[in-house]
Amino acid sequence: MIISTTGTADGNGTFLVYHGPYREIIPRMAACGYKGVEMHIEDSVCILRDELWELLRAYGMRLTSIGTGAIYGKRHYNLVDSDSSIRQAAIGHLRHHMITAQPDHGLVIIGLITGRMQDCTCREEFFWNLEESLYQLDQLAESYDVQLGFELTNRYEREYLIRIADGVEYLRSHNYKRILLHLDTVHMNIEEADIRQAILGAKGYVGHVHIADNDRWYPGHGHYPFLETLQALKDIGYEGTLALETNCLPSEEISAIRSLENMRTMLGQLK
Ligand code: LER
Ligand code: MN
C-alpha cells in the first residue's frame, strides 16, 4: 500500500495537509519523506499542468489521486442533477482532471461531485442520472487510461450509497471497467457497524482509501481502529493508495510527520 499526503494550491480545503503553490509544497512533501500525493484541484483547466508534472518528476513524487469535491460547493456541478447541462458540465470538468491524472494513470475521485437527493426530484431520478453519468465517465476513464474512485460518504453528506455493502451491490449490478469504491475512515467510522466485515465483503471492489482519525486529525490522534482497517485491507489484497485526508493541525509539519510515522508503524504491525 502506498501512503500519499494531500495538498492543494487553491487556498481552500480544510481537510488537507499542504496548502500553497506547487513549487513550494511539493519540495516540502518530498523532504518529509512522501513519495505519493493526492492533489485537490478546483479546476484542472486553471492549473499549470506542465509545472505540476515537472515538479513531481524532479522530486520523485507520484500523483496517486485527484480530489475533486471543491467544485460542488463553488459551481454546484454534480452527476445527478435534474438539469442535464449541469450533469454534462460535471462530466466535462472531471474529464479535465483525467488529463491531469493521465501521466501516472492516477485515480480521479468522485465524491461530493456525485451530488445529493436535493439536486434531483426523487430516488429513481438520482439513480437513473447517476448510472448514465457514471457510464460516460467510465468510458472517458478507459480512453485516458486512468481510474475512478466512487467515494462512499456519510449520511450527512449524501442520502444514498453510504455503506460499503451498498457500494459493492451497486458496482456488482453495473458493468463499469474503471470505477471502484473509495473508502474513507471518517465515513466508515460513522456508517459501518463492523468495519472489518464490511471491508472483507468488498474484496475486489476497493480502489482508493482516505485515511484520517475520527476527528480528521492525523492517524493516531483520536480513537479510530486503524489496525483493524489496515489488516482487513491487507487481507483482501488491497495494494492501492492510503491518502491522508487530514487537517493540518497542530501544524502542517507535525501532521505530515506524525501521519507518516504512525502509518508506517501500523503497516509494520500487520500480520
Ligand atoms: C471528501 O473526500 C470527503 O471525504 C468529504 O467528507 C470531505 O468533506
Ligand atoms: Mn474522503
Side-chain angles (χ1 to χ4, degrees), residues 49-62:
R49 279 196 190 102
D50 290 346
E51 184 196 39
L52 171 63
W53 278 103
E54 262 174 41
L55 284 161
L56 290 167
R57 290 289 166 264
Y59 287 89
M61 303 271 299
R62 195 179 135 199

Side-chain angles (χ1 to χ4, degrees), residues 7 45 50 58 62 64 67 75 146 153 170 173 184 189 204 208 263:
V45 172
D50 290 346
R62 195 179 135 199
T64 55
R75 284 185 234 156
V146 297
T153 63
Y170 186 80
S173 60
D184 181 320
N189 186 53
H208 194 58
M263 289 302 291

Side-chain angles (χ1 to χ4, degrees), residues 111-148:
L112 297 176
I113 198 170
T114 300
R116 304 187 60 153
M117 186 54 217
Q118 69 207 27
D119 301 316
C120 51
T121 55
C122 61
R123 186 181 190 279
E124 285 68 32
E125 194 190 11
F126 178 98
F127 279 102
W128 176 257
N129 289 345
L130 181 64
E131 179 175 288
E132 191 193 68
S133 297
L134 289 183
Y135 273 122
Q136 287 186 45
L137 288 167
D138 192 51
Q139 284 184 352
L140 286 170
E142 216 184 1
S143 68
Y144 288 110
D145 199 6
V146 297
Q147 306 295 322
L148 300 174

